[in-house]
Amino acid sequence: MDGCRNKKLEEFALNQGFEKMYCVAPFKYDDWEKEMQGVDDDHGGWANSPDVFSQLEGTKSIVVLLSRHSPYAAFPRGYAHVPNYYVMTNKVIDRLKIVGDYIKNEFNANVLVNPKIPHRPTAIKAGAGRPGLNRLMMNKSMGSYCHISLILTDLDLEKTTKKHKDMCNKCGACVRACPTKALNMDGTWDYRKCLRHRISTNVFDGGIREHYQSLLGCERCMVACPVNKEQGELQQPTDDMINLLAMDKLLNLDNDVEYRRQLHEVFGKNVARAARMLNQSIMVCANMGWTEYKDQIKELMSHKNEVTAELAAWAYGKLCQD
């Protein structure tokens, strides 16, 4: 293994906007497999695979790259809040591909960018951080405001050996902040209660729907964390981002092809699927008490999608009570 390769690669990656680089050898994800049992079925079989070699034969190194993100502050009335994490994801993928091409061309190596392997346990194994009670990785310079990107390669890079100290003091702020009680003080969690998980399943029963106040999940466990509070103020959304998420446009998603394209461009096609965004918008509108959209919600009660129609009926009833 040649440490000079790591230095050259790290310098290039940092110049592309990444903040930290780590490297780990392939390993077996025993704990992850136990933790995520059942998620595969809930997500229609798309969940990450722990088998690295089925994705890139001959993998010798997993490159872990971290980027910093900061949650958005509140959006004005009538504009849906969204986690900045998903805005950043699309941008990071483009930078990650550039780093992958660099490894391929500079070192004549095979690579796989953004593999479908568990990101958080891989980064923790590489020494990038330690898990917190909120089930997220905590890094000493970013808290849990870190975006994890991975690259598989058959290049034999020097592996990170320094272990990361535990940043979580087990204060329980994240456990108390979780609106659906998905987190526990013993470090376990019920992923089926997590709002982010539910938008992937498109099932909003058991009182879950009452807690959606943002599109694409919830960041309350991160915002409540005292370690994250040391990272500075929440990021103010740009005017373009605010205007993109106007509720009247979101509730009219089915009829506006160009608007759907804009959402895909910012958040990615998988995350910004029209049905997902529409259903979440209905719940956000109801929970925020935005009665000015009652008429649009009422029209959606006859939507061809049964889940959408049922959510619209629930939301309309809730708004009529406000």
Side-chain angles (χ1 to χ4, degrees):
M1 291 178 288
D2 183 357
C4 291
R5 290 174 175 173
N6 290 63
K7 291 179 181 178
K8 287 181 67 176
L9 177 56
E10 182 174 21
E11 182 179 355
F12 184 84
L14 267 55
N15 284 336
Q16 301 309 310
F18 293 99
E19 292 203 21
K20 301 283 184 180
M21 189 189 94
Y22 304 84
C23 189
V24 65
F27 62 97
K28 188 170 175 56
Y29 297 87
D30 293 326
D31 293 338
W32 181 86
E33 288 184 284
K34 295 175 184 176
E35 175 186 328
M36 302 305 284
Q37 188 175 7
V39 174
D40 228 6
D41 293 335
D42 285 353
H43 286 246
W46 69 265
N48 291 330
S49 166
D51 186 359
V52 171
F53 299 105
S54 68
Q55 299 184 52
L56 181 68
E57 186 176 354
T59 296
K60 294 180 180 177
S61 307
I62 307 174
V63 179
V64 179
L65 296 168
L66 301 187
S67 308
R68 183 188 303 271
H69 74 93
S70 177
Y72 283 132
F75 281 46
R77 182 184 178 96
Y79 298 86
H81 184 275
V82 68
N84 182 33
Y85 176 89
Y86 296 104
V87 178
M88 185 176 193
T89 296
N90 243 18
K91 297 177 181 177
V92 167
I93 289 296
D94 291 336
R95 300 205 302 263
L96 192 64
K97 290 176 180 177
I98 294 174
V99 176
D101 286 341
Y102 176 79
I103 297 173
K104 184 178 180 180
N105 298 324
E106 182 70 18
F107 304 111
N108 193 29
N110 292 311
V111 300
L112 178 63
V113 170
N114 197 31
K116 287 189 174 181
I117 61 173
H119 282 44
R120 177 175 53 87
T122 301
I124 291 171
K125 187 76 171 180
R130 295 283 296 277
L133 276 181
N134 60 5
R135 307 299 301 173
L136 301 172
M137 186 188 77
M138 303 192 72
N139 176 272
K140 61 183 178 182
S141 62
M142 303 181 208
S144 60
Y145 292 158
C146 50
H147 185 287
I148 302 169
S149 302
L150 304 179
I151 299 175
L152 302 184
T153 179
D154 58 5
L155 182 67
D156 196 6
L157 292 164
E158 186 176 2
K159 309 306 185 283
T160 308
T161 56
K162 187 177 180 180
K163 293 187 177 180
H164 201 288
K165 70 175 184 177
D166 194 350
M167 301 297 296
C168 179
N169 61 15
K170 310 298 187 290
C171 70
C174 58
V175 176
R176 294 187 295 273
C178 181
T180 58
K181 309 304 178 187
L183 302 173
N184 302 306
M185 283 300 297
D186 62 0
T188 61
W189 72 312
D190 184 347
Y191 67 85
R192 289 189 172 90
K193 290 182 179 179
C194 176
L195 296 181
R196 175 65 187 94
H197 171 75
R198 282 299 187 98
I199 64 173
S200 298
T201 65
N202 207 32
V203 177
F204 307 104
D205 55 4
I208 288 288
R209 64 183 61 179
E210 302 280 351
H211 299 290
Y212 280 91
Q213 297 180 357
S214 174
L215 300 179
L216 306 178
C218 164
E219 296 177 303
R220 275 168 270 192
C221 64
M222 288 196 290
V223 174
C225 176
V227 176
N228 285 340
K229 289 182 185 297
E230 297 174 5
Q231 304 303 314
E233 299 294 324
L234 299 181
Q235 181 176 334
Q236 294 299 321
T238 63
D239 289 343
D240 286 344
M241 182 56 59
I242 292 172
N243 292 329
L244 178 67
L245 296 168
M247 184 54 69
D248 59 343
K249 293 195 292 187
L250 286 163
L251 294 176
N252 191 45
L253 259 175
D254 283 348
N255 304 314
D256 194 335
V257 175
E258 174 58 22
Y259 181 51
R260 294 200 298 271
R261 187 197 63 77
Q262 292 172 12
L263 292 175
H264 291 164
E265 191 173 286
V266 174
F267 301 110
K269 289 184 178 181
N270 182 49
V271 173
R273 291 178 185 172
R276 287 184 183 179
M277 295 293 272
L278 179 57
N279 289 343
Q280 293 169 66
S281 299
I282 292 170
M283 292 185 289
V284 169
C285 191
N287 292 327
M288 298 301 289
W290 293 344
T291 55
E292 59 267 39
Y293 302 104
K294 276 196 304 185
D295 290 343
Q296 279 186 273
I297 295 289
K298 187 176 182 180
E299 289 180 9
L300 291 170
M301 289 168 59
S302 58
H303 197 279
K304 62 182 178 181
N305 183 290
E306 291 183 4
V307 175
T308 302
E310 193 275 327
L311 284 173
W314 163 80
Y316 184 74
K318 187 177 177 71
L319 290 172
C320 285
Q321 294 173 4
D322 291 342

